[in-house]
Amino acid sequence: GGPLKIAESIVQLIEKWGGKVLVRATVQSILIDDKNWACGVVVNGRHILAKSIVSSVGAPATLTKLIPESHRSLVSRHIDMMKDPDIASNISLQTMFVGIDDPEGSLKLPKSNSWIHHSWDH
């Protein structure tokens, strides 16, 4: 179980629909076509074309390191927004899956998901 199973099932689904998942493959840049749409990636000097691209390195690295400098003006508004300390893209999310063995319900826990944020500064 655990998060690894979630990732594995997502990979299976992507591959079922004809997609390809690369792991431990450093992307040098995102390819941009003549209509200014992302159309693939460069991995180890090899151009890999794709209809959809998912970046897991976060917005700052994706926009400032993977978008070629020649096309960075296309995302300059987003880059500028990340410089604003009030909305800076440095918030992380942690997901925790907890399984509790309480067949009698003695803990009286709600059967729901909980999203707990003690303030907007979290």
Side-chain angles (χ1 to χ4, degrees):
L4 179 59
K5 286 294 181 191
I6 295 170
E8 288 172 348
S9 67
I10 292 170
V11 169
Q12 289 174 2
L13 184 64
I14 290 169
E15 291 175 344
K16 175 183 174 184
W17 287 95
K20 180 108 176 134
V21 176
L22 304 174
V23 294
R24 295 183 186 90
T26 302
V27 173
Q28 280 108 11
S29 69
I30 294 174
L31 296 170
I32 309 293
D33 68 14
D34 57 355
K35 295 178 184 169
N36 291 329
W37 286 89
C39 63
V41 293
V42 179
V43 177
N44 297 327
R46 183 175 158 215
H47 289 212
I48 301 172
L49 301 180
K51 291 180 186 176
S52 298
I53 301 163
V54 178
S55 173
S56 65
V57 298
T62 300
L63 299 177
T64 63
K65 294 185 167 104
L66 297 180
I67 299 289
E69 196 166 336
S70 59
H71 289 83
R72 223 165 273 155
S73 63
L74 299 169
V75 294
S76 63
R77 184 174 62 91
H78 300 288
I79 293 170
D80 289 342
M81 284 191 308
M82 288 186 297
K83 294 175 185 173
D84 182 338
D86 290 333
I87 58 172
S89 182
N90 61 1
I91 298 171
S92 63
L93 173 68
Q94 180 178 4
T95 302
M96 181 170 52
F97 299 93
V98 178
I100 299 174
D101 186 12
D102 181 31
E104 288 83 39
S106 61
L107 295 175
K108 299 192 181 356
L109 295 172
K111 294 180 178 8
S112 65
N113 293 326
S114 297
W115 302 92
I116 302 168
H117 303 287
H118 299 287
S119 74
W120 285 108
D121 187 20
H122 59 277

